[in-house]
Amino acid sequence: MTATKLKRPVRETVSFSMHPRVFAALGADLVTSDTVALIELIKNSYDAMATNVWLRFEFNERYGDHIEIVDDGDGMTDTIIRQAWCVVATPFRKENPVSSSGKRSRRSSGAKGLGRLSAARLGSKLEITTQARNSDCFRLSVDWDEIAAAHDVRKCGVTLEQLDDSPFHSHGTIIRISDLSSEWTEDEFDELEENLSRLLSPFTRIEDFKIFLQRPDSEDGEAVQIMFPDFLNSPVYQIKGTVDDQGTIKAQYKYAPVKGEGARTKALKLIWDQIYSELTRKEQRIMDPGGPECGAFQFEIRAWDTTGEGLSILAEHLELDKNIIKKDISAFRGISLYRDGVLVLPKSDNSRDWLGIDLRRVSRVGSRLSTTQIVGYAAISQDENPDITDTSDRERLASNTSTREFQMLIIRVLRLMEAERDFDRDKSPNFKPVKDLFAAISASEAIETVKVLVNEGAEAVAVVPVIEELGRSLVAARREIENRFYYYSRMAAVGTISSMLVHEIRNRTTAIGACLKLVDESFDIEEDKRLERAYELATNSVTRLERLSDTFAPLASRGYKRGRRSSIVEERIRLCVELAENEIRKLGVTVRIPSSTTHVQINPSELDTVFINLISNTLFWIKQTPKEDRLLEFTVRHDEKHDRIVVFAHDSGTGVDEEDAERIFLPGVTKRGDEGIGMGLTVAAELISDHGGRMYCKYPPRHGGASFGFDLPAKR
């Protein structure tokens, strides 16, 4: 008889276990810098309802070099120490998000229950003395090295003792960190001071919480209060407002020049439909066309001209050294994110440009602001934006749709400010030579490399880096051409430069198209996702370069005689309206076109360029108008005295401020975001001018929006 073999259960639950080293991982390794670690501990004082907190770097015989954080907050009871402080990742703050003391209350700045472990990064020994109101005083001690060296987390803990003598008058906490992990340099102290000064929003002052810093080399052991420089409250450029839960941006822009001449304010509004229409197809697939997932928030961005004459004028006006001004702006540079009044990002220089502001500036250095020119904030609340959270290392935001939308909306606000700033500042660009402008639009090297790979029988993965690099160079080239043309179009040689642009772009994109065709025929692109993405980037870049060429084509043909062909105005309007028929139908815009037949002495392609630009502008800005009121009306009349045909396009959109009426025809002026290069109305006005006419805005507008008019010669 054979014995039956006992089998182990097919399915069972195996319990998690945790090695004591987890404390080091969560504390010393998870927090990215000593500055971030100290900020987390200061935030704990804020959450404890402290009104004052002192951060000191000291030396004495008992502790040696040590860091001391002293506050007059609520302190901890024996129960809180045992059930909250000693519980890693405690939900205490999440379950108790609001702290109160008397009539005061604060929303907690932390909820992960990991902030206290920041002390493990700073030093191996931690001692906390704490006392709550009407409670005993306690001291708890932790040796992080001993904990990390242990073998069983169940045998790890803190030493807790009750003290007979309390150092507090009533309540508070003292944190001492010794056996420091590193020596602090002067640069690190400067960085710490800068980041502490930004911990609480300077835009919405919290008067009942003050931070004092005592450096080891401070005179007479004096602690200096962390303050916000006064002059930062007087920006030259400012935009301030809100974004509601529907994604509508409402803001007020303010220009306050140092010399006081030309000061102005302007109300701005941008709705989600307009913002969404500017997104790339990839971004649109992620985001909801009906509205954002992120909630409402507030913002304010202040800016200065910190280069050239602008800085000199500012320094003279403030009676300050230019280097001091630069240093102060640098200390607060960029846009900070605050949740319920407390800093979320950035907490160190590593995350200073968490929005990628400087990266986006590369393509348009002239008009885009850098982090070294702005001091700004965005303010969210836990209630309105629960999905916008910082990662455990406190250096970035958790990636999700709400976060992406939130960041995109802030950048859109910045673009609004940049567009208005372009109107107000004196533009005097340094013109650069055109030599080698088109060097990057070349496929010769890529073609040779692909041919070699094909002959060698290489797999698709081998060609990926080649196409990726080609795509990157095309994107960079397109941006450079757009940026350069903005300057060249201000010169008299617009036609010459346009001809060169059209010629060079078309010749080179033809060659690049051949390279991409070779790749498509030689490899199965869809089998390699990375190759597919690179190929798509390159082909899209070629398409956009060709569109750029088409935009400037009407200005390029300066050689042929004007007026050899004629056009029927109403016929060209209908054709251009048909081209935009899908968008017109989607937006519910009523279009009125005269039934008359009016001949003008202008080539049809040139007239189409004018109407396409006018229609495009209308469709972008009319989205803010209620759907039932959206109207675009064209009128045509004959000025018999001068034998000119006068055409108007009237819409019911947001209109053009009268003070901006002349500026909108300047090259490079755009308020349509990154997709616009500010050349549409410039090109249209140039074409009308070539035929002896003028394009202009008429006031008051017929339907409350914009009324653009122009005149052309009647057919001879």
XYZ file of all heavy atoms in Angstrom, residues 285-334:
389
model
N -5.734 63.650 -27.474
C -6.183 62.282 -27.181
C -6.228 62.031 -25.677
O -7.022 61.219 -25.205
C -5.254 61.270 -27.855
C -5.453 61.156 -29.359
C -4.818 59.883 -29.905
N -3.386 59.888 -29.778
C -2.553 60.324 -30.720
N -3.034 60.812 -31.854
N -1.245 60.284 -30.548
N -5.384 62.724 -24.939
C -5.309 62.530 -23.493
C -6.375 63.343 -22.768
O -6.945 62.895 -21.772
C -3.909 62.928 -22.980
C -2.847 62.027 -23.599
C -3.840 62.849 -21.456
C -1.427 62.470 -23.321
N -6.658 64.537 -23.270
C -7.515 65.474 -22.555
C -8.929 65.504 -23.129
O -9.155 65.182 -24.282
C -6.882 66.867 -22.579
C -5.505 66.897 -21.932
S -4.697 68.506 -22.069
C -3.033 68.078 -21.531
N -9.870 65.913 -22.291
C -11.287 65.931 -22.643
C -11.638 67.255 -23.314
O -11.421 68.312 -22.733
C -12.124 65.755 -21.365
C -13.607 65.584 -21.663
O -14.029 65.882 -22.801
O -14.339 65.148 -20.764
N -12.197 67.221 -24.540
C -12.563 68.476 -25.201
C -13.663 69.231 -24.455
O -13.835 70.436 -24.652
C -13.044 68.020 -26.588
C -13.406 66.581 -26.426
C -12.467 66.044 -25.388
N -14.404 68.538 -23.602
C -15.489 69.184 -22.873
C -15.043 69.993 -21.676
O -15.808 70.817 -21.153
N -13.818 69.805 -21.227
C -13.328 70.540 -20.058
C -12.248 69.754 -19.350
O -12.119 68.540 -19.535
N -11.442 70.424 -18.529
C -10.314 69.758 -17.869
C -10.735 68.928 -16.669
O -11.793 69.167 -16.069
C -9.434 70.933 -17.425
C -10.418 72.038 -17.170
C -11.502 71.856 -18.195
N -9.916 67.939 -16.325
C -10.130 67.168 -15.103
C -9.638 67.929 -13.878
O -10.145 67.747 -12.786
C -9.409 65.814 -15.187
C -10.066 64.816 -16.119
C -9.414 63.444 -16.035
O -8.651 63.196 -15.068
O -9.661 62.618 -16.933
N -8.629 68.762 -14.065
C -8.113 69.502 -12.913
C -9.132 70.546 -12.476
O -9.975 70.990 -13.258
C -6.773 70.166 -13.246
S -6.860 71.555 -14.391
N -9.049 70.914 -11.211
C -9.994 71.860 -10.653
C -9.532 73.297 -10.775
O -8.525 73.606 -11.421
N -10.263 74.188 -10.132
C -9.973 75.616 -10.193
C -8.686 75.942 -9.429
O -8.309 75.240 -8.490
C -11.139 76.406 -9.609
N -8.018 77.018 -9.853
C -6.847 77.491 -9.125
C -6.619 78.968 -9.425
O -7.211 79.539 -10.338
C -5.601 76.670 -9.462
C -5.155 76.728 -10.905
C -4.239 77.678 -11.326
C -5.646 75.822 -11.834
C -3.819 77.732 -12.642
C -5.220 75.864 -13.157
C -4.313 76.826 -13.565
N -5.771 79.578 -8.607
C -5.411 80.985 -8.775
C -3.966 81.079 -9.249
O -3.181 80.151 -9.056
C -5.569 81.743 -7.455
C -6.994 81.771 -6.928
C -7.042 82.376 -5.531
O -6.308 81.975 -4.637
N -7.908 83.356 -5.351
N -3.611 82.229 -9.807
C -2.240 82.412 -10.272
C -1.865 83.882 -10.243
O -2.717 84.771 -10.255
C -2.063 81.871 -11.695
C -2.951 82.557 -12.716
C -2.590 83.768 -13.290
C -4.170 81.984 -13.082
C -3.418 84.404 -14.207
C -5.006 82.609 -13.999
C -4.621 83.824 -14.560
N -0.591 84.119 -10.195
C -0.028 85.454 -10.382
C 1.409 85.287 -10.851
O 2.161 84.483 -10.300
C -0.056 86.285 -9.105
C 0.505 87.684 -9.299
C 0.429 88.562 -8.064
O -0.306 88.203 -7.119
O 1.116 89.603 -8.038
N 1.763 86.032 -11.891
C 3.128 86.005 -12.410
C 3.612 87.448 -12.537
O 2.911 88.298 -13.100
C 3.216 85.305 -13.781
C 2.639 83.884 -13.698
C 4.661 85.252 -14.267
C 2.549 83.184 -15.051
N 4.794 87.708 -11.991
C 5.409 89.035 -12.072
C 6.692 88.911 -12.897
O 7.395 87.914 -12.793
C 5.735 89.562 -10.675
C 4.510 89.619 -9.765
C 4.898 89.925 -8.336
N 3.727 89.923 -7.451
C 3.783 90.129 -6.142
N 4.952 90.339 -5.551
N 2.684 90.118 -5.421
N 6.982 89.936 -13.682
C 8.147 89.844 -14.565
C 8.869 91.174 -14.676
O 8.277 92.249 -14.496
C 7.717 89.356 -15.951
N 10.161 91.079 -14.983
C 11.029 92.236 -15.169
C 11.915 91.995 -16.385
O 12.166 90.847 -16.761
C 11.936 92.442 -13.946
C 11.217 92.765 -12.679
C 11.038 94.000 -12.123
C 10.576 91.839 -11.790
N 10.338 93.887 -10.939
C 10.040 92.578 -10.709
C 10.419 90.445 -11.793
C 9.354 91.981 -9.664
C 9.723 89.848 -10.757
C 9.203 90.614 -9.705
N 12.394 93.082 -16.984
C 13.410 92.974 -18.030
C 14.765 92.977 -17.330
O 15.200 94.011 -16.812
C 13.317 94.150 -19.010
C 12.016 94.130 -19.786
O 11.660 93.053 -20.297
O 11.352 95.181 -19.882
N 15.410 91.839 -17.305
C 16.646 91.704 -16.525
C 17.897 91.667 -17.387
O 18.956 91.248 -16.934
C 16.594 90.430 -15.664
O 16.396 89.297 -16.509
C 15.469 90.509 -14.652
N 17.774 92.076 -18.635
C 18.945 92.132 -19.510
C 19.030 93.517 -20.131
O 18.016 94.206 -20.312
C 18.862 91.089 -20.635
O 17.646 91.297 -21.378
C 18.860 89.687 -20.067
N 20.253 93.929 -20.439
C 20.474 95.174 -21.153
C 19.991 96.397 -20.410
O 20.090 96.525 -19.184
N 19.413 97.326 -21.162
C 19.025 98.627 -20.624
C 17.909 98.510 -19.591
O 17.848 99.296 -18.651
C 18.578 99.540 -21.778
C 18.293 100.963 -21.338
C 17.817 101.838 -22.485
O 17.637 101.281 -23.592
O 17.613 103.034 -22.279
N 17.034 97.511 -19.764
C 15.919 97.369 -18.826
C 16.373 97.220 -17.394
O 15.804 97.833 -16.473
N 17.401 96.418 -17.169
C 17.915 96.214 -15.815
C 18.581 97.480 -15.285
O 18.442 97.817 -14.098
C 18.900 95.048 -15.807
C 19.481 94.673 -14.442
C 18.371 94.276 -13.479
C 20.490 93.548 -14.575
N 19.297 98.193 -16.136
C 19.965 99.430 -15.714
C 18.952 100.476 -15.274
O 19.141 101.156 -14.250
C 20.828 99.982 -16.861
O 21.826 99.054 -17.231
N 17.867 100.612 -16.029
C 16.815 101.580 -15.674
C 16.175 101.197 -14.349
O 15.927 102.051 -13.489
C 15.760 101.651 -16.792
C 16.378 102.224 -18.070
C 14.560 102.483 -16.355
C 15.465 102.164 -19.274
N 15.903 99.896 -14.170
C 15.289 99.422 -12.932
C 16.210 99.671 -11.739
O 15.767 100.136 -10.683
C 14.969 97.926 -13.050
C 14.280 97.268 -11.850
C 12.918 97.894 -11.609
C 14.134 95.762 -12.086
N 17.506 99.377 -11.892
C 18.461 99.568 -10.802
C 18.567 101.038 -10.415
O 18.626 101.383 -9.228
C 19.825 99.027 -11.219
N 18.576 101.914 -11.423
C 18.664 103.352 -11.151
C 17.423 103.834 -10.412
O 17.514 104.626 -9.458
C 18.826 104.106 -12.469
C 18.951 105.615 -12.297
C 19.091 106.328 -13.633
O 19.321 105.639 -14.658
O 18.968 107.561 -13.662
N 16.264 103.352 -10.827
C 15.007 103.767 -10.196
C 14.921 103.300 -8.738
O 14.471 104.050 -7.861
C 13.830 103.205 -10.997
C 12.488 103.486 -10.379
N 11.920 104.737 -10.380
C 11.608 102.657 -9.734
C 10.748 104.683 -9.773
N 10.537 103.439 -9.369
N 15.349 102.074 -8.481
C 15.270 101.512 -7.132
C 16.450 101.909 -6.261
O 16.449 101.638 -5.053
C 15.190 99.982 -7.213
C 13.970 99.384 -7.908
C 14.121 97.878 -8.047
C 12.699 99.712 -7.126
N 17.459 102.526 -6.885
C 18.689 102.890 -6.184
C 19.334 101.652 -5.560
O 19.751 101.639 -4.399
C 18.421 103.954 -5.110
C 17.909 105.266 -5.699
C 17.680 106.326 -4.636
O 17.755 105.987 -3.438
O 17.432 107.482 -5.005
N 19.372 100.590 -6.368
C 19.984 99.336 -5.946
C 21.014 98.907 -6.973
O 20.932 99.270 -8.150
C 18.922 98.229 -5.807
C 17.911 98.351 -4.666
C 16.850 97.258 -4.810
C 18.597 98.237 -3.313
N 21.971 98.121 -6.512
C 22.953 97.545 -7.424
C 22.282 96.505 -8.319
O 21.422 95.748 -7.868
C 24.090 96.896 -6.626
C 25.196 96.388 -7.534
O 26.095 97.154 -7.859
O 25.113 95.192 -7.912
N 22.673 96.467 -9.593
C 22.069 95.521 -10.534
C 22.247 94.075 -10.074
O 21.355 93.245 -10.250
C 22.681 95.707 -11.928
C 22.263 96.981 -12.625
C 22.660 96.987 -14.086
C 24.146 97.095 -14.263
N 24.529 97.251 -15.692
N 23.388 93.789 -9.488
C 23.639 92.420 -9.036
C 22.709 92.012 -7.892
O 22.317 90.851 -7.786
C 25.097 92.275 -8.595
C 26.061 92.386 -9.765
O 25.736 91.983 -10.878
N 27.240 92.943 -9.526
N 22.359 92.974 -7.045
C 21.423 92.684 -5.951
C 20.043 92.368 -6.515
O 19.360 91.438 -6.067
C 21.350 93.874 -4.969
C 22.689 94.025 -4.236
C 20.204 93.696 -3.974
C 22.751 95.216 -3.308
N 19.622 93.141 -7.505
C 18.316 92.898 -8.127
C 18.287 91.520 -8.762
O 17.342 90.744 -8.572
C 18.022 93.984 -9.177
C 17.863 95.347 -8.501
C 16.758 93.632 -9.971
C 17.697 96.498 -9.474
N 19.340 91.194 -9.521
C 19.402 89.880 -10.149
C 19.386 88.766 -9.111
O 18.726 87.738 -9.285
C 20.660 89.777 -11.018
C 20.507 90.346 -12.414
C 21.705 89.956 -13.272
C 21.459 90.291 -14.724
N 22.575 89.855 -15.588
N 20.112 88.967 -8.022
C 20.200 87.950 -6.982
C 18.838 87.722 -6.322
O 18.427 86.581 -6.086
C 21.224 88.366 -5.928
C 21.433 87.360 -4.794
C 22.517 87.838 -3.848
C 22.727 86.824 -2.710
N 21.543 86.712 -1.846
N 18.129 88.825 -6.048
C 16.822 88.690 -5.393
C 15.802 88.018 -6.307
O 15.021 87.163 -5.867
C 16.305 90.060 -4.942
C 17.019 90.568 -3.695
O 17.625 89.737 -2.991
O 16.966 91.778 -3.422
N 15.802 88.405 -7.576
C 14.879 87.765 -8.512
C 15.243 86.300 -8.671
O 14.378 85.418 -8.712
C 14.882 88.483 -9.874
C 14.309 89.895 -9.722
C 14.060 87.696 -10.898
C 14.326 90.708 -11.002
N 16.541 86.014 -8.723
C 16.999 84.631 -8.866
C 16.573 83.769 -7.688
O 16.250 82.590 -7.845
C 18.523 84.603 -9.014
O 19.004 83.281 -9.095
N 16.562 84.365 -6.489
C 16.188 83.601 -5.291
C 14.751 83.109 -5.368
O 14.409 82.048 -4.832
C 16.387 84.457 -4.046
N 13.894 83.872 -6.044
C 12.471 83.520 -6.113
C 12.046 83.134 -7.522
O 10.857 83.001 -7.801
C 11.616 84.704 -5.627
C 11.817 85.047 -4.193
C 12.807 85.935 -3.814
C 11.042 84.467 -3.211
C 13.009 86.251 -2.487
C 11.235 84.766 -1.881
C 12.227 85.664 -1.512
N 13.010 82.964 -8.414
C 12.723 82.815 -9.840
C 11.812 81.614 -10.134
O 11.782 80.643 -9.396
C 14.024 82.670 -10.627
C 14.754 81.359 -10.419
C 16.088 81.350 -11.154
N 16.760 80.063 -11.044
C 17.505 79.693 -10.030
N 17.676 80.512 -9.007
N 18.079 78.506 -10.022
N 11.127 81.759 -11.243
C 10.241 80.679 -11.673
C 8.847 80.819 -11.100
O 8.469 81.839 -10.534
